[in-house]
Amino acid sequence: MILDFIEILKVIFLGIVEGITEWLPISSTGHMLLVDEFISLDMSDSFKDMFFVVIQLGAILAVVLIFWKKMWPFQCKDKTKPVIRKDIFSLWFKVVVACIPGAIVTILFDDYIDAHLHTPVVIAIALIFYGIAFIFIENWNKRRKPKIQTLQDITYQTAFWIGMFQVLSIIPGTSRSGATIIGALLIGVSRVAAAEFTFFLAVPVMFGLSVLKILKFGLHFSSAELLVLILGMAVAFAVSVLVIKFLMSYIKKHDFKVFGWYRIILGLIVFFYFL
């Protein structure tokens, strides 16, 4: 199978959608599934099921690039003397703790979710529900000051509870970043620290999910399938670099309510269109 120009344009568009929606709390998987309803890739259902997850590796590589100094524990004070950053090691241990609840639920229920809940109506309901949650929580947060201002202030207990909220993202339309940010805000984490911890948490989570999806699909890719995967990841990477920088600048001065309103409007459109 040789990809024609239209199919290449579809992959590029899906990569752009992934790069934008992976880091904004508006559900990347939900958007990808909805876009596929209108500009469906000429690929098998099993490939697309894998593609919609593995394409997110491109977005993850953008996080690694931007936050490399905060993520890599082996650093140099000067050109000759390496330094081991214990605080970064500690942060990664907290990320592991936060990953445990989601890993257990995904292993147990991933097949059921894929078979029964990847529908436009479920996505619409999740978009609306968590959109309302964002607006409610941000209004509530106006009356209180965050107890946890930086990544280093996040404790193991806080990390675990954020991980519990991440479990909610197994439902299409919820948004992994949205679920973890909502949980972090409720616990009393500042917007910037919540977003940064979400970025850290995304790295092992998405690598793990991608490995599971690839193993489930099998390692026998056609040349066209391999091209689609690499192109989608490359576009998602480039767009994610811009989106992450925008988001980190935006939330220093603004709250997340605009994303809540966007989710509600999109959810209503999707619900009534497919209804």
Side-chain angles (χ1 to χ4, degrees), residues 187-240:
I187 294 168
V189 181
S190 69
R191 292 189 193 97
V192 172
E196 289 184 344
F197 191 75
T198 295
F199 295 152
F200 271 73
L201 192 54
V203 175
V205 168
M206 293 318 305
F207 270 114
L209 284 175
S210 296
V211 169
L212 287 175
K213 289 293 184 180
I214 290 173
L215 291 176
K216 183 178 177 181
F217 177 77
L219 299 176
H220 305 291
F221 293 95
S222 68
S223 58
E225 289 171 339
L226 196 58
L227 175 60
V228 166
L229 202 56
I230 292 173
L231 178 59
M233 288 171 57
V235 175
F237 169 80
V239 174
S240 288

Side-chain angles (χ1 to χ4, degrees), residues 51-72:
F51 172 77
F52 290 151
V53 174
V54 178
I55 190 179
Q56 297 174 74
L57 282 180
I60 296 304
L61 292 176
V63 166
V64 174
L65 174 68
I66 294 173
F67 290 95
W68 179 255
K69 288 186 177 179
K70 287 188 175 183
M71 290 185 168
W72 186 246

Side-chain angles (χ1 to χ4, degrees), residues 9-26:
L9 288 179
K10 289 179 183 179
V11 176
I12 291 173
F13 184 72
L14 286 168
I16 293 172
V17 172
E18 164 59 27
I20 293 173
T21 59
E22 178 63 34
W23 305 115
L24 303 183
I26 53 178

